[in-house]
C-alpha cells in the first residue's frame, strides 16, 4: 500500500497516476478524496487529527506528503509543525517510509541563482523559517534512525489542469487567455525556473520506489536555462496566439493589495524570489536516473493544448 496525504491537489493527483506504474494498492487521503485510478482506495480524513492520520497511514509501506495548508505563516506555524511531529511518530510506529514533497523557501536568498541540494539553508521569511524547521525535523528523524525518509524539492511548479496553486497559471496563462494583461511581480528581467508538475510527480514516485534514494534531499527534475519573466510571457502569449501584454506589480503595490487580499499580504515576504535570478538545478536527479526534464516550450504547449485549446483555435 502506497498512501498519498493531500491527494486532491495538483501534485497529489499526478502522483497517483505515476504510482500506478509501481502498485495497484494506492490510498488517497484528503478531506474529500476522489479516485484517480480505478483501483484506488479513498480515505476521507483530517490529517491534523492524529488518530485519523494514524488510521489513514495504517498498513502503508510508503507515505507521500503533498499536503497544502492555507497560505499564511500563522496557519503554517499552527499546522505544519504538529502535523510533521505526528507524522514522524506514526511512520516510525508503522514502519513505513516517508516521502516529503517540499519547496525551496528555506534557501538563503543570496544563493538562488543555481540552487542545488547543497544550497545554504538561511530563510529570510516567516514561512521559510517554518519550512526549514519541518525539513530539519525529518532530517533529524532520519539521522536518529527513527524513520526511512527522503525530501523531494520542487521549484515553483506549472503544468496542465492546475486550477490554482500555480503562479504561472494565475498570473500569466489565465489573464492572457482572456485577452488581459499578464501580471509579473517586481521585475520581468530576471530568470525564473518552473518545475513541470507531471515531471515532479513521476520523479517523486520513482524516488519513493527506489531504496537507495532514501536518507537524502533531491531536487525534482526541472529544465535548465529558464526564461526571464518577459520571455515566459512572450512564449505563453505566442502559444495562445495573443499579444504579450504585461503589467508589473512593484513591491509597494503588492503591499497595498495586501491590505485587501490575504494571499497578496502573505506574498510580500516572498518577493525576493522575483528581484533576482531564481535558477533551480536538478542535475543530481537527472544524472542518477538518466532523466530529461520536459522542456519549457513543450510544457507551455501541453498546458495550452489541455486547458486553453478553445482559445488557441
Amino acid at each position: 500500500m502506497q498512501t498519498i496525504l493531500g491527494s486532491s491537489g495538483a501534485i497529489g493527483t499526478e502522483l497517483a497516476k505515476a504510482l500506478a506504474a509501481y502498485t495497484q494498492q494506492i490510498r488517497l487521503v484528503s478531506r474529500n478524496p476522489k479516485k484517480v485510478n480505478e483501483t484506488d482506495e479513498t480515505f476521507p480524513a483530517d490529517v491534523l487529527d492524529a488518530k485519523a492520520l494514524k488510521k489513514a497511514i495504517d498498513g502503508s509501506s510508503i507515505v507521500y506528503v503533498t499536503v497544502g495548508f492555507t497560505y499564511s505563516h500563522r496557519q503554517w506555524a499552527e499546522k505544519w509543525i504538529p502535523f510533521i511531529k505526528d507524522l514522524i511518530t506514526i511512520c516510525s510506529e508503522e514502519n513505513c517510509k516517508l516521502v516529503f514533497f517540499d519547496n525551496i523557501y528555506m534557501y538563503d536568498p543570496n544563493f538562488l541563482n543555481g540552487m542545488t541540494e547543497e544550497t545554504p539553508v538561511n530563510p529570510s521569511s516567516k514561512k521559510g523559517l517554518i519550512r526549514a524547521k519541518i525539513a530539519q525535523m525529518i532530517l533529524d528523524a532520519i539521522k536518529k534512525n527513527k524513520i526511512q525518509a527522503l525530501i523531494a524539492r520542487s521549484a515553483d511548479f506549472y503544468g496542465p489542469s492546475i486550477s490554482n496553486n500555480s503562479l504561472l497559471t494565475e498570473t500569466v496563462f489565465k489573464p492572457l487567455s482572456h485577452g488581459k494583461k499578464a501580471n509579473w511581480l517586481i521585475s520581468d528581467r530576471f530568470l525564473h525556473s518552473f518545475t513541470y508538475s507531471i515531471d515532479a510527480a513521476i520523479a517523486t514516485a520513482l524516488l519513493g520506489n527506489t531504496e537507495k534514494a532514501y536518507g537524502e534531499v533531491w531536487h525534482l527534475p526541472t529544465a535548465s536555462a529558464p526564461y526571464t519573466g518577459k520571455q515566459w510571457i512572450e512564449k505563453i502569449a505566442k502559444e495562445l496566439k495573443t499579444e504579450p501584454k504585461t503589467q508589473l506589480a512593484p513591491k509597494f503595490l503588492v503591499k497595498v493589495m495586501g491590505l485587501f487580499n490575504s494571499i497578496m499580504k502573505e506574498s510580500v515576504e516572498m518577493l525576493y524570489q522575483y528581484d533576482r535570478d531564481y535558477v533551480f538545478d536538478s542535475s543530481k536527479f537527472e544524472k542518477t536516473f538518466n532523466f530529461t526534464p520536459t522542456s519549457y516550450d513543450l510544457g507551455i504547449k501541453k498546458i495550452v493544448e489541455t486547458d486553453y485549446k478553445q482559445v488557441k483555435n
Side-chain angles (χ1 to χ4, degrees), residues 1 5 9 11 13 28 36 41 48 84 87 93 98 110 135 137 145 156 174-175 203 210 219 223 227 254 280 303 312:
M1 179 66 70
L5 303 179
I11 298 300
T13 300
L28 306 181
V36 175
E41 173 189 335
L48 295 175
I84 294 298
L87 185 65
E93 293 172 349
L98 173 63
N110 295 311
M137 288 168 69
N145 293 317
D156 290 336
K174 283 185 178 180
T210 302
H219 276 190
Y227 301 139
V254 177
F280 192 78
I303 293 169
K312 188 178 178 183

Side-chain angles (χ1 to χ4, degrees), residues 5 29 43 45-58 83 86-87 90:
L5 303 179
V29 182
F43 193 102
D46 177 358
V47 297
L48 295 175
D49 180 330
K51 290 182 179 179
L53 183 61
K54 187 174 179 63
K55 289 180 181 178
I57 291 174
D58 181 50
F83 167 62
D86 288 341
L87 185 65
I90 295 168

Side-chain angles (χ1 to χ4, degrees), residues 8-9 12 25 31 49 51 54 75 88 118 120 126 128 133 173 189 197 222 227 234 244 249 257 280 285 288 304:
S8 298
Q25 291 181 285
R31 288 185 180 274
D49 180 330
K51 290 182 179 179
K54 187 174 179 63
Q75 291 280 324
I88 290 171
E118 305 302 320
K126 294 175 182 177
K133 184 169 183 176
F173 279 100
R189 296 184 296 107
S197 58
T222 302
Y227 301 139
E234 289 173 345
M257 293 168 70
F280 192 78
F285 181 94
T288 301
V304 172

